Amino acid sequence: MAINIISMVLLGVCFQHSLASDIKSPKDEIADIRKLLQDQNERILKLESENLALKSRLTHVEGDNADLREQVVGVAKKHELLQDEVVNLRRQLSEMEELPEQTNPQTSGVLLKDNASPSNTKNRRLLALDTDPPPAPVEPVAFYAYMSKPEPAPSNHHTLIFDVAKTNLGNGYNKYSGTFVAPSAGAYVFTWTINTNPHGAHFINLMVNNAVVGGTLTDTQAADDYDSDSNTAVVALNHGDSVNLRTTGSSDRAYIYVDIHAFTCFSGWRL
């Protein structure tokens, strides 16, 4: 009987020891929770870093996409101009083929009035054949456009779109893309005015075929006031060259301002 009691006591002691080994102390549980929180924080920081990297790549992709859209618009405009030139050349060729031959072989380069024969040219007036056609009148090329609504904090490499085209002689300016495509070669003058709200700044560049040829800085970051900056550039363009205004740097809260009394505008004309 005593042996059974001793055995039972020993079994109870072993059971308690096993149970105590399975139950963790509050200190150990707190340490485990802290370790879990640390692991989760590290994963969150890693995910935030990856998210920032993806946002940066997306910004670059958007800038590249904007440049490609500008190039597509320029190519489409060049294609339209080439088609117009082909139509004009075909029309001129057709008119030349329809001209009657009224040249007297004995007076090479001389046209006889009323198809006169050599026998009655005594009392006829000989008209000289004009081999060079008169120069065609030069069509004016000029545009003036402005923004009808503000641009809230545009990103870098953002093409400014002046959506109201008040003047567009020669149809070189596209109010949907903000790009001017030269309909003919020559010297052109471009001028622009950019208004910025208080505590904002923008670097604005004049671009010719994605090359910087002019620029301005609108800056009110240190002043509680509006800013208006203008610039002018004279550029020699080839037929089909594209010109636009583009942001190249910006600050926080940079806001391009538009007002009925302060136009943000873009204009140009051929000399």
Side-chain angles (χ1 to χ4, degrees):
M1 182 69 178
I3 294 174
N4 291 335
I5 293 174
I6 291 172
S7 299
M8 293 179 62
V9 170
L10 291 174
L11 289 172
V13 170
C14 292
F15 177 76
Q16 291 178 357
H17 178 74
S18 175
L19 184 62
S21 63
D22 293 336
I23 299 176
K24 294 183 178 180
S25 67
K27 184 177 180 180
D28 293 337
E29 291 182 356
I30 292 174
D32 291 342
I33 291 173
R34 287 179 177 175
K35 182 63 170 61
L36 180 62
L37 290 175
Q38 183 179 358
D39 293 341
Q40 290 179 347
N41 287 334
E42 290 178 354
R43 292 184 62 188
I44 290 173
L45 290 175
K46 183 179 179 181
L47 290 173
E48 288 179 346
S49 177
E50 292 176 352
N51 188 30
L52 289 175
L54 289 174
K55 287 183 177 179
S56 177
R57 290 182 61 186
L58 179 60
T59 300
H60 289 297
V61 170
E62 289 177 346
D64 294 339
N65 190 26
D67 292 339
L68 289 175
R69 284 199 298 267
E70 294 174 8
Q71 294 178 11
V72 169
V73 171
V75 170
K77 188 64 178 180
K78 291 180 181 179
H79 180 67
E80 292 178 1
L81 294 174
L82 288 174
Q83 285 183 328
D84 293 340
E85 290 183 0
V86 170
V87 171
N88 290 333
L89 289 174
R90 288 178 176 174
R91 177 178 55 79
Q92 294 175 10
L93 181 60
S94 177
E95 292 176 352
M96 292 174 62
E97 291 176 349
E98 293 176 358
L99 288 175
E101 296 183 358
Q102 298 179 356
T103 304
N104 186 350
Q106 297 180 357
T107 58
S108 178
V110 178
L111 182 67
L112 302 181
K113 186 178 181 181
D114 298 330
N115 295 325
S117 62
S119 59
N120 60 0
T121 57
K122 185 176 180 179
N123 296 323
R124 299 288 186 176
R125 182 178 180 182
L126 298 179
L127 302 177
L129 179 63
D130 189 1
T131 58
D132 295 327
V138 178
E139 296 293 335
V141 178
F143 75 94
Y144 165 64
Y146 61 85
M147 291 184 182
S148 64
K149 54 184 179 297
E151 283 276 9
S155 61
N156 292 346
H157 298 159
H158 173 77
T159 299
L160 300 182
I161 297 178
F162 303 84
D163 57 311
V164 179
K166 297 297 292 184
T167 303
N168 196 12
L169 301 177
N171 294 320
Y173 178 74
N174 188 324
K175 68 178 182 180
Y176 300 104
S177 65
T179 302
F180 170 79
V181 177
S184 60
Y188 288 79
V189 179
F190 296 96
T191 180
W192 62 97
T193 298
I194 307 296
N195 300 308
T196 308
N197 70 318
H199 307 294
H202 268 297
F203 294 91
I204 307 296
N205 279 160
L206 180 71
M207 311 295 297
V208 176
N209 298 331
N210 294 321
V212 178
V213 298
T216 54
L217 167 62
T218 61
D219 186 4
T220 59
Q221 293 190 84
D224 190 15
D225 198 1
Y226 294 88
D227 185 36
S228 179
D229 292 273
S230 302
N231 205 349
T232 302
V234 180
V235 184
L237 298 180
N238 295 318
H239 173 257
D241 284 347
S242 62
V243 183
N244 63 276
L245 290 173
R246 189 177 75 176
T247 59
T248 57
S250 62
S251 68
D252 293 337
R253 296 177 295 176
Y255 197 96
I256 294 181
Y257 180 70
V258 170
D259 190 275
I260 191 172
H261 302 294
F263 281 27
T264 291
C265 55
F266 182 33
S267 60
W269 59 93
R270 184 181 61 197
L271 294 176

